[in-house]
Amino acid sequence: MSNQTSYDVVVVGAGNAALCAAISACEEGAKVLVLEKGPEYKRGGNSFFTDGAIRVAYHHLNDIRKVVPELSDEDAAAIVMPDYHEEDYYEDIMRVTKGESQPELAKQLVDRSFETLVWMKGHGVKFELNYENQSYEKDGKRQFWGGLPVKTENKGIGLMKQLFKRAQELGVEIWYEAAAVELVKKEEKISGVVVQQGENEMTVETTGVILACGSLEADKKLRSKHLGEEWEAAIVRGTEYNTGDGISMATAIGAEKFGEYSGCHSIGTDFNAPKVGDFNKPGDIYKKHSYPLSIMLNKEGNRFVDEGADFRNYTYAKYGREILKQPDHVAYQIYDSEVRPLLRKEYDLEEATCYKGETLVELVDQLSVDKQQFLKTIEEYNQAVQAGEYNPTEKDGKKTAGLNPEKTNWALKIEKGPFYAYPVTCGITFSFGGLHVNPSGEVLKKGSEPLSGLFAAGEMVGGIFYHNYPGGSGLMSGAVYGKLAGSTAARYVLGHKQDTKITN
């Protein structure tokens, strides 16, 4: 912590959204301070743990080559990449949120997505094609699918390393183990923020505060209050420091809560994953996202979702909560030897919990389940599988008939040993509830008037995601609204300074 106690803009949080905000404010000429609640070795928020996939609207492979310039003409000629226009992105958001996403916020995210990616690249963030999870080889060409062809180099680790590097190059000051605990107002405008660092408390003077410190998912009591008592049992996939501080500080001075507080982004993650994100093992290594090729059974031996309802990009953020509802918050993904080679990379890691049996009986004997019902469910599933062409790269319509729930795509019989079971539980990523924010990043009071000097970005923006979300949209939303909040805050503050000079 320096001796300076006055800054143009103070950013609370130090993840993707926060640092995009800090960099953007710097570009406008503001003197910026970033407050990171955790120690330096635990910096980066939830963004540090992400797989790095970032959803962006683009019109052609040539657009993508602007952010992945290393792609040679020869490689480009061997790629088939369907266009993913702004209309496609917007429709995906509206479809998975059941039409509840606020149109003006969703449209801002979509329309600004590509220019924001180009802006990030200009600040040194490196992107690469998402070959591993979003493409397959067919007829000698690499076929992309799902509207998610780009990811950050070296996942969230690489993203945050470069954003911190760039912020420091631009002169952004960063205080660690420095928690913002109160926002100060004077004449109905932000005038400072109270900072707690160890035993020391001080007030930093500023006329612009950007809240980008995540949602409330790491606080068990708040999870229980807003999401339900069963959510106390959920694993926290990311940082332990997202405990709703920004929301409580903002609402204490009149900001309006907004969005789906009863909803969240959650996934099926390894049953033995750490209870909070492990900074020594980042990179989203515990997820288990090949479930559309599986059948999932609870410990009572029953299926409970249509595993093949859609591509994982459009179901994984809601199926975690379905697993949480099961007895002891556990489910088992079941595969046979025919499907096992098709599973994603995370199934091969040493951190993956896996049971293997040469026969189904041998497999089930290793599990803490109702064995008779487990075997009966698999037998009934096998009998219900209909004929058809199996194709894991598209919604193939290969389904079951006579089950509840049915499996509507990718239904193969589980009959070729050895057999595999992967136990999963629910991992929460972030809450969908946040603050009421306009498309420029200004935090709003009741009545939709801006709360002068207060801005927000990232997971603190309520009203974009409801029920579910299209994979990769979280990073993009953080970057888009971070950049917007940074520039809006800097212009507000510098304009305020100019007005003060004129008045004086």
Side-chain angles (χ1 to χ4, degrees), residues 135-173:
S135 75
Y136 61 96
E137 199 166 316
K138 182 180 179 182
D139 301 328
K141 293 201 171 188
R142 182 60 68 170
Q143 314 262 344
F144 280 81
W145 56 275
L148 195 55
V150 176
K151 65 187 299 185
T152 55
E153 186 179 274
N154 195 22
K155 304 182 179 182
I157 307 161
L159 168 65
M160 294 316 304
K161 181 179 179 181
Q162 184 54 45
L163 288 178
F164 276 110
K165 179 175 181 287
R166 185 58 179 152
Q168 288 164 331
E169 287 173 352
L170 293 172
V172 173
E173 192 163 339

Side-chain angles (χ1 to χ4, degrees), residues 200-221:
N200 301 318
E201 185 175 284
M202 66 180 296
T203 298
V204 175
E205 295 177 3
T206 184
T207 49
V209 172
I210 302 172
L211 298 173
C213 48
S215 55
L216 52 80
E217 74 279 350
D219 187 296
K220 283 187 178 183
K221 289 183 179 179

Side-chain angles (χ1 to χ4, degrees), residues 55-66:
R55 184 172 292 267
V56 62
Y58 59 93
H59 286 231
H60 191 271
L61 176 59
N62 287 337
D63 281 350
I64 299 300
R65 294 185 72 180
K66 292 175 184 176

Side-chain angles (χ1 to χ4, degrees), residues 61 71-72 74-82 129 131 140-144:
L61 176 59
L71 189 65
S72 68
E74 183 180 356
D75 288 339
I79 287 173
V80 176
M81 186 181 290
L129 292 187
Y131 282 111
K141 293 201 171 188
R142 182 60 68 170
Q143 314 262 344
F144 280 81

Side-chain angles (χ1 to χ4, degrees), residues 12 72 287:
V12 182
S72 68
K287 66 185 177 187

